Amino acid sequence: MTQRVFNFSPGPAVLPLPVLERAQRDLVSLPGVGMSVLEVTHRGPAFEAILQSAKQRLVELLRIPANYRVLFLQGGARLQFSMVPMNLLRAREQAADYILTGSWGKSACQEARKEGRVQIAWDGRDHGYDRLPGPADLVLDPAAAYVHMTSNETIEGVQFRAEPDTGQVPLVCDASSDFLSRPLPIARYGLIYACAQKNAGPAGVTVVIVREDLLERSSDALPGYLNFRLQAQEDSMYNTPPTFAIYVLDLVAQWLQEEIGGLAAMQWLNQEKSQLVYAVVDASGGFYQGHAQPACRSLMNVTFRLPTEELQAGFLAEAEQRGLYNLKGHRSVGGIRASIYNAMPLAGVTALGEFMQQFRRQHG
Ligand SMILES: *Cc1c(COP(=O)(O)O)cnc(C)c1O
């Protein structure tokens, strides 16, 4: 199969074609280096330039203020579920507040319980995680060590439009599945983490953006790799960083800057794309049932159901025949999930919308 299909996978997920082509073109020998990016030492000038470029592009794209540090770590978002409370909660009297808006928020909370005291600021369980809390719904402790949120619940398809107000308490955000999909007011956050393989690059690297004062909480007793302060001191070079993943992330950031025109433009495109699918859901007379409440709908992961399991199976099979892949919902929620990250072209979403309309006409 040499033809590319439209890949709606939740992650690892579609990457921009120009990024793949550039990586392919330069794979055997980086221009001016004479070696592959897979072969160069992380301590040499070639990789040093890549690391600094990736960092600088993130600073520019997200307008990251000077009192924040950008780290490139391994272990995925899952390791951050532990690393965040190890550094910010362990051995403290205070508790951490967790906002549970779906499967990933719940997992983050479970891991935090191993490190310290945890309080549930809100839990969407009774509604099947189809909505988000309003400001009045949150039970926040003004003395909490931090508040943890998940900006986009990849499995349920609910996404915050704005940050909850946590006052002086640092806000920690798992932004794995909407990182770089829109501008973010970084100064509202204490720490943001995102594994790259949803929207920012390949698996293997996780970006952590952390406010400098929070680094003081990291205890020297922590294993070196798991210590944010040490990772910041060593500029993500405490050990060998995931060089290839950082290289591709840099190419993705360059694509966002030079071909898309920044994160506001990206957000506009993402709105267009998701609206196209939601409009088909809403105009289907109940044939397609969206999982998320309309006000909380994700621009990244569109989740919906068909009337029966048989129709769902038929939908998935027919979609593949049309080159629309990986639309099956997560086993915990069922139904259909169309992940339409930054790199999903408008043509893919248009093809999906047309297929959905035709399928409903045939089976509705
Ligand atoms: C995918 C995902 C994770 C898990 O990421 P890993 O890199 O597999 O550990 C965590 N949180 C969110 C929101 C995700 O989408």
Side-chain angles (χ1 to χ4, degrees):
M1 189 190 282
T2 51
Q3 186 121 15
R4 277 172 65 79
V5 299
F6 290 120
N7 176 12
F8 294 92
S9 165
V14 58
L15 284 165
L17 186 57
V19 167
L20 296 174
E21 287 171 341
R22 170 83 181 274
Q24 180 186 46
R25 194 191 71 203
D26 294 348
L27 185 69
V28 171
S29 172
L30 280 174
V33 177
M35 287 173 271
S36 170
V37 65
L38 295 167
E39 301 167 306
V40 295
T41 170
H42 62 297
R43 303 276 176 204
F47 182 71
E48 179 65 16
I50 289 168
L51 183 84
Q52 295 311 325
S53 167
K55 210 160 65 170
Q56 183 57 29
R57 289 186 196 284
L58 292 183
V59 166
E60 288 167 10
L61 280 165
L62 286 160
R63 301 180 201 279
I64 300 174
N67 61 327
Y68 286 76
R69 301 295 299 269
V70 179
L71 309 178
F72 298 107
L73 303 179
Q74 301 191 52
R78 283 248 187 216
L79 183 58
Q80 294 312 308
F81 291 174
S82 299
M83 221 170 139
V84 164
M86 279 176 182
N87 283 267
L88 304 183
L89 183 63
R90 191 186 267 190
R92 291 182 170 258
E93 274 176 31
Q94 304 147 287
D97 283 341
Y98 274 71
I99 305 174
L100 306 188
T101 51
S103 306
W104 289 117
K106 272 199 299 187
S107 294
C109 182
Q110 263 169 20
E111 293 297 285
R113 285 186 197 285
K114 299 175 185 172
E115 302 301 331
R117 215 151 57 75
V118 165
Q119 300 168 151
I120 308 300
W122 188 81
D123 190 345
R125 180 189 49 208
D126 291 347
H127 299 284
Y129 298 111
D130 70 348
R131 65 194 67 187
L132 298 167
D137 303 323
L138 290 173
V139 183
L140 294 174
D141 173 359
Y146 60 85
V147 178
H148 184 281
M149 65 178 279
T150 310
S151 52
N152 182 64
E153 284 285 0
T154 322
I155 291 174
E156 289 81 5
V158 293
Q159 183 181 29
F160 279 93
R161 298 275 177 280
E163 294 71 24
D165 185 1
T166 62
Q168 292 305 304
V169 178
L171 179 60
V172 173
C173 179
D174 175 3
S176 291
S177 52
D178 63 359
F179 188 61
L180 301 182
S181 73
R182 57 182 176 179
L184 278 185
I186 300 291
R188 295 283 306 270
Y189 295 89
L191 187 149
I192 298 173
Y193 62 91
C195 56
Q197 73 271 17
K198 310 294 167 69
N199 205 32
V205 64
T206 295
V207 178
V208 174
I209 302 169
V210 54
R211 211 174 61 210
E212 262 166 356
D213 61 287
L214 292 175
L215 297 174
E216 287 157 25
R217 291 199 200 175
S218 300
S219 157
D220 287 331
L222 283 168
Y225 188 85
L226 303 180
N227 185 317
F228 282 139
R229 182 162 37 80
L230 192 58
Q231 290 284 6
Q233 266 165 18
E234 300 290 330
D235 201 10
S236 305
M237 299 271 270
Y238 172 71
N239 71 333
T240 312
T243 50
F244 186 73
I246 293 169
Y247 164 73
V248 178
L249 186 137
D250 181 44
L251 295 183
V252 170
Q254 185 177 9
W255 171 79
L256 280 166
Q257 287 182 308
E258 293 173 9
E259 299 200 32
I260 300 296
L263 297 186
M266 192 68 250
Q267 179 177 29
W268 191 84
L269 285 167
N270 286 331
Q271 266 156 356
E272 286 268 285
K273 288 189 291 178
S274 61
Q275 182 48 37
L276 218 145
V277 186
Y278 286 122
V280 175
V281 168
D282 289 341
S284 71
F287 183 75
Y288 299 114
Q289 297 221 325
H291 175 75
Q293 301 267 306
C296 309
R297 284 171 164 174
S298 168
L299 305 193
M300 300 275 98
N301 311 97
V302 180
T303 48
F304 58 90
R305 270 184 203 78
L306 277 75
T308 67
E309 292 291 327
E310 291 67 40
L311 280 171
Q312 257 156 215
F315 180 94
L316 291 169
E318 217 176 295
E320 277 203 9
Q321 284 165 13
R322 291 168 163 250
L324 309 170
Y325 276 64
N326 296 322
L327 284 161
K328 196 170 168 45
H330 189 270
R331 58 191 179 278
S332 65
V333 174
I336 308 292
R337 169 174 50 171
S339 296
I340 48 176
Y341 298 117
N342 286 354
M344 171 57 64
L346 183 61
V349 177
T350 307
L352 173 63
E354 283 168 3
F355 166 61
M356 286 170 67
Q357 286 174 315
Q358 177 242 301
F359 191 86
R360 178 176 71 89
R361 278 196 299 272
Q362 277 174 350
H363 302 277

